[in-house]
Amino acid sequence: MKSLIKIVLVLGLFIGFYSCQPDDSTTIVPARPYDEVYEEDILKIEEFLDTHYVTVDADFNTVFTKIPDGGAQVPVSDMPELEFKEVDLHDITYKVYYLKLREGIGESPTRVDSTLVAYKGNTIYKGTVDGVTVYDQSVFEENVNPIWFNLDGVIKGWAEIIPQFKVGTYSSNPDGTISFQDFGVGVVFIPSGLAYFNSIRPGIQAYSNLVFNFKLYNMRRMDHDRDGILSMYEYGPSFDQDPIDTDGDDRPDYLDVDDDADGVLTKTERSFTYLDGTVTKTAYYPYFGALVDDAATPYDDTRGIPSCSGDFTTPTRLRRHLDPACRN
Ligand SMILES: [Ca+2]
Ligand SMILES: [Ca+2]
Ligand SMILES: [Ca+2]
Ligand SMILES: [Ca+2]
């Protein structure tokens, strides 16, 4: 199904940009052990998935409703769109469930990229009214118009699941609005340990499991340290591990302008000079060389950042900006 959503993009959409940042809390209560809380959280989440069905409208907005006694609705836990990702943190393997309502057709962000997302966040508090179990799905935050988020600055549950989706396409309209099509849409069920845990925030009690319906409209590759190497390449071999820190100064490579601490900026180490006629000019090797040489440039574009020994192509080579042995 092809959905067309028209959205007015206005300046100032950065309002609320940090609203999902975990260090933005107002109050905290004494921390309980993560494993003890997680045991309770995952029970509540799985019970919710077992006892509710979802309706999805034409714009992929979702409503979760408790299945009435004898109801024939399909519980979320039985939907083929339900997937989960295991996330290791706090010496726990968290299970993060998400509904992949539509994957999207474009690129996927990594957890060090920036994303343009519209979302609705609600809690799922379980309680009892007149002896009947109820689930309060209070909405604590909603952005119908998308806003940009750096995935390295949001709660862990987001950073892990948003990259499981892809962006779509977009086009400009004559009236200045932008239409997005075929973007990724999902719902994620985040245990409190991967959200705000013992922090109390507006509309969110301590130890709240959070549910987000999100639409991944667009993304931007980031280069945090502006050394010309995308953060996704500097992060390390796996986003399921901590980022690499070549020189061990507690600043990961993707935030470090001199990754090997040899006193020469990474940006300088990926530069080279070439002759343009009689004029010496400077250019920069990309992390990976181009597949095809561009005949318009006076150098070989298939070369990426070389190793000390002049290997320009082996994908696993130790690139020279990470090898202080190159300098002397
Ligand atoms: Ca960089
Ligand atoms: Ca470092
Ligand atoms: Ca760097
Ligand atoms: Ca260096």
Side-chain angles (χ1 to χ4, degrees):
M1 183 171 67
K2 188 166 182 175
S3 167
L4 187 74
I5 304 280
K6 183 184 275 193
I7 286 160
V8 180
L9 285 176
V10 293
L11 291 174
L13 288 182
F14 288 91
I15 295 167
F17 183 83
Y18 293 103
S19 52
C20 273
Q21 293 217 358
D23 56 358
D24 193 24
S25 57
T26 49
T27 315
I28 60 170
V29 300
R32 295 173 52 202
Y34 280 107
D35 56 348
E36 184 184 298
V37 173
Y38 176 64
E39 268 183 44
E40 298 170 5
D41 285 352
I42 195 64
L43 275 178
K44 286 181 202 162
I45 289 171
E46 291 184 339
E47 190 176 277
F48 181 85
L49 299 176
D50 284 341
T51 56
H52 287 69
Y53 68 96
V54 64
T55 49
V56 185
D57 72 14
D59 289 335
F60 287 97
N61 300 306
T62 52
V63 175
F64 292 89
T65 308
K66 193 177 177 195
I67 299 173
D69 288 342
Q73 295 88 347
V74 177
V76 177
S77 54
D78 284 350
M79 292 173 66
E81 295 89 346
L82 186 68
E83 303 182 21
F84 67 84
K85 184 173 194 288
E86 291 184 335
V87 177
D88 292 321
L89 192 70
H90 311 131
D91 295 323
I92 298 168
T93 299
Y94 285 95
K95 203 168 186 179
V96 186
Y97 287 98
Y98 59 99
L99 273 174
K100 193 171 267 188
L101 298 176
R102 187 170 67 184
E103 184 170 30
I105 60 169
E107 288 187 293
S108 288
T110 73
R111 73 166 57 163
V112 286
D113 290 322
S114 186
T115 54
L116 182 67
V117 188
Y119 64 92
K120 182 176 77 173
N122 63 270
T123 52
I124 38 172
Y125 299 128
K126 181 183 172 185
T128 306
V129 175
D130 297 333
V132 177
T133 301
V134 294
Y135 297 84
D136 174 13
Q137 303 175 58
S138 298
V139 175
F140 59 85
E141 193 170 351
E142 182 166 17
N143 276 294
V144 175
N145 288 330
I147 58 175
W148 284 98
F149 283 102
N150 281 2
L151 286 183
D152 68 335
V154 298
I155 56 174
K156 184 87 169 161
W158 267 74
E160 292 286 345
I161 301 305
I162 300 288
Q164 311 303 316
F165 292 76
K166 298 171 180 173
V167 302
T169 58
Y170 62 91
S171 49
S172 300
N173 302 309
D175 62 359
T177 60
I178 294 176
S179 296
F180 295 91
Q181 304 91 26
D182 300 326
F183 45 85
V185 185
V187 182
V188 60
F189 304 86
I190 306 176
S192 67
L194 299 179
Y196 300 114
F197 201 56
N198 59 327
S199 300
I200 300 169
R201 301 172 58 86
I204 306 176
Q205 301 170 21
Y207 307 115
S208 291
N209 300 315
L210 304 183
V211 181
F212 286 96
N213 170 299
F214 59 84
K215 301 167 188 178
L216 175 59
Y217 290 116
N218 203 355
M219 55 152 285
R220 218 168 25 214
R221 300 289 182 207
M222 298 291 287
D223 176 11
H224 289 75
D225 56 9
R226 301 188 179 191
D227 59 7
I229 305 174
L230 292 178
S231 297
M232 63 183 285
Y233 297 141
E234 291 205 83
Y235 186 90
S238 169
F239 288 101
D240 288 331
Q241 298 168 4
D242 290 334
I244 57 172
D245 177 14
T246 296
D247 58 12
D249 66 353
D250 291 332
R251 191 178 299 137
D253 285 9
Y254 79 94
L255 300 175
D256 195 336
V257 295
D258 177 12
D259 302 303
D260 59 356
D262 67 348
V264 182
L265 293 178
T266 296
K267 186 173 181 180
T268 303
E269 289 163 337
R270 55 180 283 270
S271 69
F272 64 96
T273 56
Y274 66 96
L275 270 181
D276 183 6
T278 57
V279 181
T280 300
K281 292 187 175 176
T282 298
Y284 297 89
Y285 291 113
Y287 191 77
F288 293 111
L291 287 177
V292 180
D293 183 33
D294 179 355
T297 58
Y299 45 81
D300 183 354
D301 298 276
T302 65
R303 294 181 158 197
I305 301 171
S307 69
C308 290
S309 61
D311 177 355
F312 290 89
T313 54
T314 306
T316 56
R317 68 192 180 280
L318 181 60
R319 289 164 172 80
R320 69 184 187 192
H321 68 286
L322 300 179
D323 190 349
C326 281
R327 250 53 69 194
N328 293 304

